[in-house]
Amino acid sequence: MGKYLRIICTLCLLLTLSAVTSAEDLDEFDAEEATVEVENEPSTVDVPYESPVPIDQSKVYLADHFDDIAQFSKRWIKSTAKKEDISEDIAKYDGVWELEAPLKDALVGDLGLVLKSKAKHAAIASSLIKPFVFNTKPLIVQYEVILQDGQECGGAYLKLLSDGPDTRNLGQFHDKSPYSIMFGPDKCGNDHKLHFIFRHKNPRNGSIEEKHCKKPSERLEDYFSDKLPHLYTLVLNPDNSFEVKVDKTVINSGNLLEDFTPSVNPPREIDDPDDRKPDDWDEREKIPDADAVKPDDWDEDAPAQVIDEFAIIPSGWLEDEPTHISDPDAKKPADWDTEMDGSWEPPLVDNPICTDAPGCGKWEPPLINNPNYKGKWRAPLIDNPNYKGKWRPRRIPNPEFFEDKEPFKMHTVSAVGFELWSMSKDIYFDNIIITDDPYIAEQWAASTFEKKRQKIARDSESVVQRLANLTNDYPILWVVYIIVLGIPVVFVLYLCCKPKSASRMENEELKRAAETKKTDALSPDDAVASGKSQDDKIEENVEDEEDKEKYSDKDEDEDDDVEENEKDSEVISDQNGEGDVPRKRKPRKD
Ligand SMILES: *[C@@H]1O[C@H](CO)[C@@H](O)[C@H](O)[C@H]1NC(C)=O
């Protein structure tokens, strides 16, 4: 049936294409007379865009739409740092950043920050308008990403840099520059991530440890592959709760104290590392019964299986017939050189006389399970009177314990930056905002991200819309649609109502397919096949013949099955392939 579906689909496609083409012809033909209408229908529908302004500047720590090149170059600093401890030639931060419109569905006047280069370290950062101090207000970080070239391996995350001497010179921003929060998408191979990492300072000794958020509940794959704008939002509240959103949908949420590894606070108690299991501690719950004795009639040597004494040779068994005979139809190859190749022997095939008999050759009675088999005797298990339970070390107070109830109070953030390396080019960033009011971030998204998505929706709609308008103007197109939709329906009905003839047609098809394979002309498998000896090819053809026969008994097979079967037979012939020695085909059981 698969073959027919494919044919139907191809037909539909061809007809649709011709319909659209002819419709376009009509369009062109009448263009001069219908200019007024054409003017009413611009080819792409534009969503008006203006560079956004945050509704309350006092609650904003940084907001950049990247539309203003002069402003951008004042604010953002490209890093010229060098990465430590790797070789000189790849250590430099020399990735290329540009302000550009998105490659697809761009709004007029909308630019973004694009990481142009791939396989280079790239870093860029901007100071905040004012530092964000973690205190009583929430932190909202939001930005857009378009992975315009997909993402093979690399990140599109940002870092909120910790205020201090190490981050004062943003021109030296690099991978070790201290950050308070790292947030955003990252992918390598099949590992899709949406990072939310914060760096926590141990209040006992001042050491800093990265805390990684648990995995999001949703699948992330599409965000990396669909090449659409996605909006990433982190909301972090003074009560330590957080939410991670993509395109305004919450995909991860929880609490800084509970949902991060390693956990912020160490355990109160730990196993005493100095406690040792006493030597006489008996952990065995059951022991063998020392008083039990082996019964006298227990024969440890009785075999597990014995010959079935009552078995008789099945009637019709042909003891004098061999199971295999030399293939009577085999012919010595014309180029067989007895001196070189040794004497020729025809390959063995199943003895056809045995096909209808229960068996051929010497008959042996079968083995059956020995009813007297007991195996090795073991004493039964009884409860161990000395059992003390599983040993566990004593618990002691954790000497390194501390309790930080406010991990939200992180190190003050003074700048934001991207510090990236990617195997895919053209990563587009836009409309980054850091604020302490969720509403401001929402409004910002409404005048930026949402317009982008509207524009994309309208652009894809407009193709359908155009066809609809065209149909209004030229109702004759309905005839085309009816034909396009009607032909497959009629065809399917025809197939359903005449199953007999249909399956005959299918067999014809399969035979033709097998025929095509036999010509050894076109299939990609031939690259491999051509490396084989002539012998192999002859054999494959024989197998093809056989496959064909098999398939003519069935109705629902597809090309793929034929191919798979060919692979099977190739494996078999490979197993048997021993250079130029005459091959004996494995008997195949179906
Ligand atoms: C601080 O304490 C943590 C665990 O409590 C430990 O892993 C770390 O090594 C300590 N750092 C310093 C500098 O002592």
Side-chain angles (χ1 to χ4, degrees):
M1 219 41 212
K3 181 138 281 170
Y4 292 100
L5 280 179
R6 244 175 281 162
I7 292 168
I8 290 166
C9 289
T10 317
L11 266 173
C12 287
L13 205 70
L14 281 175
L15 282 166
T16 315
L17 278 177
S18 60
V20 170
T21 324
S22 58
E24 264 164 17
D25 288 348
L26 279 175
D27 207 14
E28 268 168 36
F29 180 74
D30 277 349
E32 280 159 85
E33 291 156 65
T35 37
V36 183
E37 288 198 15
V38 170
E39 266 168 21
N40 287 345
E41 303 285 334
S43 61
T44 52
V45 188
D46 274 316
V47 176
Y49 170 81
E50 254 177 60
S51 299
V53 181
I55 49 172
D56 183 348
Q57 200 73 44
S58 71
K59 294 173 170 176
V60 169
Y61 300 79
L62 179 126
D64 206 328
H65 45 62
F66 298 110
D67 298 340
D68 183 337
I69 295 178
Q71 198 183 55
F72 165 79
S73 18
K74 258 187 264 163
R75 278 189 185 167
W76 291 80
I77 296 162
K78 293 174 195 176
S79 171
T80 52
K82 277 187 184 173
K83 234 176 139 128
E84 289 163 32
D85 53 65
I86 54 168
S87 74
E88 191 73 6
D89 52 330
I90 51 166
K92 254 166 80 177
Y93 281 85
D94 56 355
V96 181
W97 299 95
E98 300 282 4
L99 284 199
E100 284 182 357
L103 298 170
K104 263 172 56 190
D105 302 301
L107 295 163
V108 175
D110 185 18
L111 301 181
L113 172 63
V114 181
L115 175 53
K116 300 296 295 173
S117 50
K118 64 176 186 181
K120 281 180 188 298
H121 293 290
I124 191 166
S126 167
S127 293
L128 302 189
I129 301 164
K130 59 187 176 194
F132 183 89
V133 181
F134 292 87
N135 195 359
T136 55
K137 288 178 180 160
L139 167 72
I140 293 97
V141 183
Q142 181 172 280
Y143 69 114
E144 282 171 37
V145 179
I146 312 176
L147 298 168
Q148 300 186 100
D149 197 31
Q151 182 60 285
E152 207 180 301
C153 184
Y157 45 80
L158 54 71
K159 288 176 175 176
L160 301 183
L161 300 178
S162 306
D163 187 27
D166 293 336
T167 55
R168 212 135 282 160
N169 179 2
L170 295 178
Q172 286 301 309
F173 175 30
H174 63 288
D175 59 327
K176 303 267 169 25
S177 303
Y179 66 88
S180 297
I181 286 177
M182 177 173 142
F183 171 64
D186 191 14
K187 179 201 157 183
C188 206
N190 280 326
D191 193 8
H192 302 77
K193 289 182 184 153
L194 179 42
H195 290 296
F196 170 23
I197 300 171
F198 71 99
R199 288 167 84 245
H200 180 252
K201 187 169 170 181
N202 181 329
R204 285 177 64 93
N205 64 11
S207 74
I208 286 174
E209 197 170 44
E210 281 184 7
K211 309 291 178 186
H212 292 243
C213 187
K214 69 176 161 114
K215 280 193 181 312
S217 53
E218 306 291 321
R219 274 169 46 89
L220 302 174
E221 276 81 340
D222 290 349
Y223 306 135
F224 292 92
S225 60
D226 63 13
K227 302 185 183 179
L228 291 173
H230 290 293
L231 183 71
Y232 294 91
T233 309
L234 171 67
V235 179
L236 185 53
N237 297 305
D239 66 359
N240 299 316
S241 66
F242 73 87
E243 274 184 339
V244 171
K245 299 188 238 186
V246 181
D247 304 341
K248 305 199 289 174
T249 304
V250 176
I251 64 152
N252 204 355
S253 62
N255 191 293
L256 295 179
L257 286 167
E258 282 146 31
D259 299 299
F260 286 74
T261 42
S263 70
V264 170
N265 292 312
R268 247 170 232 282
E269 284 192 326
I270 55 165
D271 289 348
D272 181 354
D274 299 325
D275 196 11
R276 296 275 171 273
K277 184 167 89 172
D279 291 339
D280 63 347
W281 189 281
D282 198 342
E283 281 189 322
R284 295 171 305 159
E285 198 173 345
K286 301 264 182 191
I287 51 166
D289 182 355
D291 298 332
V293 283
K294 187 172 92 170
D296 290 338
D297 62 348
W298 189 289
D299 178 5
E300 288 191 330
D301 300 326
Q305 290 208 305
V306 288
I307 286 168
D308 182 0
E309 312 246 322
F310 298 104
I312 45 166
I313 184 165
S315 78
W317 190 282
L318 306 172
E319 276 201 282
D320 298 330
E321 283 291 339
T323 55
H324 291 82
I325 57 164
S326 299
D327 185 352
D329 298 332
K331 292 206 179 54
K332 184 157 106 175
D335 60 352
W336 188 275
D337 182 343
T338 312
E339 302 237 316
M340 296 274 289
D341 304 332
S343 69
W344 181 78
E345 278 175 39
L348 291 181
V349 293
D350 289 348
N351 186 346
I353 296 171
C354 302
T355 320
D356 297 324
C360 279
K362 185 165 160 42
W363 179 78
E364 310 249 16
L367 290 175
I368 53 166
N369 289 337
N370 181 2
N372 295 320
Y373 172 72
K374 291 233 163 95
K376 186 128 186 72
W377 182 82
R378 281 178 228 282
L381 294 177
I382 54 165
D383 288 344
N384 178 3
N386 295 323
Y387 177 57
K388 290 203 183 160
K390 193 111 193 86
W391 183 82
R392 283 201 177 74
R394 177 184 340 130
R395 300 284 287 175
I396 56 164
N398 182 359
E400 289 173 342
F401 178 74
F402 61 80
E403 187 169 25
D404 178 356
K405 288 185 171 152
E406 294 182 306
F408 174 76
K409 295 200 170 163
M410 300 176 194
H411 195 108
T412 297
V413 171
S414 59
V416 61
F418 298 100
E419 191 271 306
L420 301 169
W421 187 90
S422 165
M423 279 309 291
S424 300
K425 60 180 166 39
D426 290 333
I427 302 178
Y428 175 100
F429 299 94
D430 206 357
N431 301 317
I432 180 169
I433 186 164
I434 299 170
T435 168
D436 55 31
D437 185 344
Y439 182 65
I440 291 185
E442 279 164 32
Q443 287 303 306
W444 179 259
S447 53
T448 54
F449 170 73
E450 278 165 48
K451 288 194 172 170
K452 270 204 189 70
R453 294 303 288 247
Q454 274 166 25
K455 161 92 173 152
I456 289 165
R458 287 202 201 163
D459 280 356
S460 59
E461 243 174 46
S462 63
V463 175
V464 178
Q465 194 59 46
R466 248 163 76 91
L467 214 58
N469 291 342
L470 217 56
T471 315
N472 267 342
D473 296 345
Y474 306 101
I476 186 126
L477 279 175
W478 280 114
V479 177
V480 179
Y481 298 153
I482 287 164
I483 292 170
V484 167
L485 294 172
I487 283 181
V489 171
V490 169
F491 198 57
V492 167
L493 282 176
Y494 168 77
L495 286 178
C496 294
C497 298
K498 302 184 84 181
K500 270 268 155 109
S501 60
S503 70
R504 209 181 304 132
M505 273 174 66
E506 219 156 43
N507 290 336
E508 218 80 286
E509 201 78 43
L510 279 164
K511 272 190 194 149
R512 223 175 304 134
E515 212 74 45
T516 319
K517 298 239 144 76
K518 266 166 50 177
T519 62
D520 277 340
L522 292 160
S523 91
D525 293 347
D526 286 346
V528 183
S530 62
K532 292 187 197 165
S533 66
Q534 192 62 33
D535 239 19
D536 272 335
K537 279 193 188 161
I538 291 166
E539 190 168 292
E540 267 167 36
N541 289 346
V542 172
E543 307 245 5
D544 274 347
E545 225 39 270
E546 197 178 273
D547 286 339
K548 207 172 71 181
E549 272 163 36
K550 255 170 48 194
Y551 282 108
S552 54
D553 297 329
K554 299 180 188 170
D555 279 340
E556 78 289 354
D557 299 297
E558 287 187 20
D559 248 357
D560 298 351
D561 288 337
V562 177
E563 258 156 41
E564 234 163 61
N565 230 285
E566 256 184 50
K567 271 180 214 141
D568 282 349
S569 49
E570 265 172 36
V571 170
I572 287 167
S573 52
D574 281 345
Q575 277 170 356
N576 292 349
E578 291 146 357
D580 289 329
V581 176
R583 245 155 292 267
K584 297 168 174 77
R585 285 226 350 258
K586 242 191 190 168
R588 288 179 62 178
K589 301 266 184 277
D590 290 311

